[in-house]
Amino acid sequence: EAVHLLQRAAELSCVPDDTVCTNLGHAFLKAQALDHALESFKQARKMAPQNSSALCGIAFTLQLSNKPCEAIDYYHRCLSINREDQFAIEMLNQAAQEAATQMAIDMDLC
């Protein structure tokens, strides 16, 4: 229901709002609609390139999509804006571990 309410708010808004798009991204994450979440976070980033929440949302969505190397890049972008973001710090560490595991598995397959 939150997704529908936020989509409606975005439709009714005369001026696009990065906060609404970021919140919509989080609602899509909770609904496990990763493609829609990523699209919403990217739209928020276009509106406000320094929106660290949108950058972190992109990173987290990529991580959930099993793309830890791409996620790492966005966590770094987020932390360059907001160095105190504890969630981004923790998830960056987890993404780095996931990327290392992926690389180890890939090397074993060679």
Side-chain angles (χ1 to χ4, degrees), residues 2-58:
V3 169
H4 298 296
L5 290 174
L6 286 165
Q7 284 177 320
R8 186 71 177 136
E11 291 169 3
L12 294 174
S13 176
C14 296
V15 178
D17 186 288
D18 64 298
T19 303
V20 172
C21 291
T22 300
N23 289 337
L24 186 56
H26 288 295
F28 279 127
L29 278 178
K30 288 184 183 200
Q32 297 180 347
L34 299 181
D35 291 339
H36 292 299
L38 188 59
E39 181 181 322
S40 294
F41 289 128
K42 286 185 174 183
Q43 186 175 3
R45 182 172 177 257
K46 284 180 187 175
M47 291 180 217
Q50 298 299 310
N51 181 334
S52 65
S53 294
L55 290 166
C56 191
I58 292 169

Side-chain angles (χ1 to χ4, degrees), residues 34-98:
L34 299 181
D35 291 339
H36 292 299
L38 188 59
E39 181 181 322
S40 294
F41 289 128
K42 286 185 174 183
Q43 186 175 3
R45 182 172 177 257
K46 284 180 187 175
M47 291 180 217
Q50 298 299 310
N51 181 334
S52 65
S53 294
L55 290 166
C56 191
I58 292 169
F60 188 60
T61 305
L62 289 168
Q63 188 173 355
L64 291 175
S65 300
N66 202 31
K67 298 176 181 177
C69 293
E70 291 178 54
I72 288 169
D73 178 50
Y74 279 95
Y75 284 128
H76 280 289
R77 293 180 196 194
C78 170
L79 290 168
S80 73
I81 296 166
N82 181 5
R83 293 183 179 155
E84 304 300 318
D85 188 326
Q86 289 300 309
F87 179 78
I89 292 168
E90 291 175 28
M91 297 312 296
L92 172 59
N93 290 329
Q94 186 176 333
Q97 290 174 348
E98 291 170 9

